[in-house]
Amino acid sequence: MASTRDWFESVAEAQRRARKRLPASVYSALIAGSERGTTVDDNTAAFRELGFFPRVAPGLPPQRTLATSVLGQEIAMPVIISPTGVQAVHPEAEVAVARAAAGAGTAMGLSSFASKPLAEVVDANDKTFFQIYWMGSRERVRQILDHAAAHGAKGIILTLDWTFAHRRDWGSPAIPEKLDLRAMLKLAPEVLGKPRWLRDFARAGGPPTLSAPNMALPDGPAPPFFGAYVEWMTTATPSWEDVAWLRRQWEGPLLIKGITHPDDAVHAADAGADAISVSNHGGNNLDGTPASIRALPGVVDAVGDRVEILLDGGIRRGSDVVKALALGARAVMVGRAALWGLGANGEAGVANVLEILRAGVDETLVGLGKASIHDVGPEDVLLAPGFTRAPVHD
């Protein structure tokens, strides 16, 4: 665990410390939002529009119930790690995040584009879900599913909410295809200005490798990160028939990530999904998409109890988690918050962020006079007129 000096008390402080510690291009990749950033900003702003009416003297037990389950995995609190791409902000990357999640008693989502092999992450946290994109042919997708099964993934997260929008007003970070001498010389000025970050990688044996070990063909080497990326980007988008086919290939739990439209939630349930995540890819998909929390009530109304409903996007406090639960989510997924913790202080920083969220959930339950996360509902939040967003139908 971190020393008192290294401990921080908010996700906002984790972000500040990550910005101070990381090279500029590395940090900028963690705050990415498509185009003008309307959606990435609204993901957090929407939570500020939601309020509570506190209750007093409720006679609560000394310990509140925060435990729940997601995709058949028992977790100690309603927060799991959202799959995010190469986490080379720290030498231990996804393994450090997985260990921190395991220590907090919760699950890990691992991206297809992770920098660490699935087997290593599963060793660190046996509650690991493997995230995939639809890429290549159906046979290629089947190979990825076989890889997930062979290495112990407890479930699949099929991510459908990214169109690779790269026209960003804030400027996209320059990420080299490989860290050869030429690339390192180009990046040297900003890296040399961050000696602690450079020291950590030097102690770990050198700079991060830009490969995608979980995207290797059977018995083949790990492809370069951008090689795998191009394979995905040049694949036609899947249909709901393709999703139903994938469901038939995978015997374990399946979560579909990237739902904001209620009709898509119905399609996902019809295709056999066990769970969905109301998500706009952290504001990295189509800019102008509503904040996830604004879309959540419409999705809940559309599918009810047919599937488990999660939410990701904009979670910065335990009170945000409770707001999502009150509007119908079973749990939330966190991406940037965990990465800022990782950038600020490695595994201990991720553990710090998860403890901030856990404590915040508990404190919010006390304020609401609730003994359990399963007791919160719409009556516990102040929902201003016009807060939710729904598509217009004729």
Side-chain angles (χ1 to χ4, degrees):
M1 186 55 65
S3 69
T4 302
R5 179 178 61 84
D6 291 330
W7 189 260
F8 42 84
E9 296 185 348
S10 69
V11 172
E13 178 60 20
Q15 181 180 0
R16 284 190 287 269
R17 294 191 189 187
R19 182 173 189 173
K20 183 177 180 180
R21 184 185 181 105
L22 299 176
S25 61
V26 176
Y27 174 75
S28 65
L30 303 186
I31 60 170
S34 62
E35 296 185 333
R36 65 168 60 90
T38 300
T39 297
V40 72
D41 290 342
D42 196 38
N43 270 347
T44 52
F47 279 104
R48 295 196 292 271
E49 295 178 26
L50 290 169
F52 296 115
F53 261 130
R55 303 300 300 272
V56 296
L60 295 178
Q63 300 294 326
R64 270 65 58 192
T65 299
L66 275 61
T68 188
S69 65
V70 170
L71 294 180
Q73 298 299 306
E74 299 296 325
I75 54 177
M77 62 177 174
V79 179
I80 70 173
I81 300 295
S82 186
T84 56
V86 177
Q87 295 177 9
V89 300
H90 187 273
E92 294 181 313
E94 294 87 1
V95 172
V97 177
R99 284 199 300 259
T106 195
M108 169 76 180
L110 182 70
S111 172
S112 288
F113 295 108
S115 59
K116 299 293 185 182
L118 174 58
E120 289 186 23
V121 176
V122 170
D123 284 345
N125 188 333
D126 63 1
K127 296 176 181 178
T128 294
F129 308 126
F130 187 59
Q131 177 263 357
I132 71 170
Y133 292 96
W134 185 270
M135 55 192 299
S137 64
R138 285 188 173 185
E139 180 57 31
R140 176 70 166 122
V141 172
R142 196 197 309 271
Q143 290 171 349
I144 299 170
L145 294 176
D146 290 344
H147 173 82
H151 293 93
K154 290 297 191 295
I156 289 295
I157 299 174
L158 173 62
T159 296
L160 299 178
D161 63 338
W162 202 6
T163 55
F164 196 72
H166 60 278
R167 295 166 299 280
R168 292 167 171 158
D169 292 3
W170 53 271
S172 299
I175 303 175
E177 292 192 14
K178 58 181 179 179
L179 286 174
D180 54 15
L181 179 60
R182 180 179 180 183
M184 286 189 282
L185 288 173
K186 183 177 181 180
L187 294 172
E190 64 175 88
V191 172
L192 291 175
K194 304 295 181 179
R196 292 179 63 195
W197 186 84
L198 186 61
R199 179 202 63 196
D200 289 345
F201 275 97
R203 288 176 174 176
T209 57
L210 297 179
S211 64
N214 297 300
M215 291 292 96
L217 292 168
D219 302 319
F225 175 80
F226 281 99
Y229 223 59
V230 168
E231 181 183 10
W232 163 58
M233 287 167 50
T234 55
T235 299
T237 57
S239 65
W240 285 111
E241 181 181 344
D242 290 321
V243 174
W245 171 86
L246 184 149
R247 165 72 283 182
R248 295 192 295 272
Q249 310 311 306
W250 176 256
E251 295 182 357
L254 171 66
L255 182 152
I256 296 179
K257 181 176 180 292
I259 302 294
T260 54
H261 198 295
D263 292 352
D264 285 342
V266 173
H267 285 309
D270 290 345
D274 299 291
I276 59 176
S277 181
V278 179
S279 169
N280 50 46
H281 213 103
N284 269 300
N285 190 30
L286 181 64
D287 200 27
T289 302
S292 300
I293 192 69
R294 298 190 194 278
L296 177 61
V299 169
V300 172
D301 288 345
V303 293
D305 296 329
R306 294 183 63 191
V307 295
E308 296 178 8
I309 299 175
L310 285 77
L311 175 138
D312 79 79
I315 299 293
R316 301 291 183 267
R317 294 172 176 81
S319 58
D320 296 338
V321 177
V322 176
K323 289 171 182 177
L325 302 184
L327 293 182
R330 186 183 190 93
V332 304
M333 307 172 78
V334 295
R336 284 188 180 90
L339 290 179
W340 288 330
L342 182 67
N345 197 25
E347 178 185 341
V350 182
N352 194 157
V353 164
L354 291 174
E355 173 55 22
I356 288 167
L357 296 176
R358 187 210 63 77
V361 171
D362 187 66
E363 292 160 1
T364 304
L365 290 181
V366 173
L368 293 174
K370 303 289 186 178
S372 168
I373 59 169
H374 304 289
D375 295 338
V376 299
E379 69 278 6
D380 294 306
V381 292
L382 300 176
L383 202 66
F387 173 81
T388 59
R389 302 287 186 269
V392 176
H393 290 286
D394 293 335

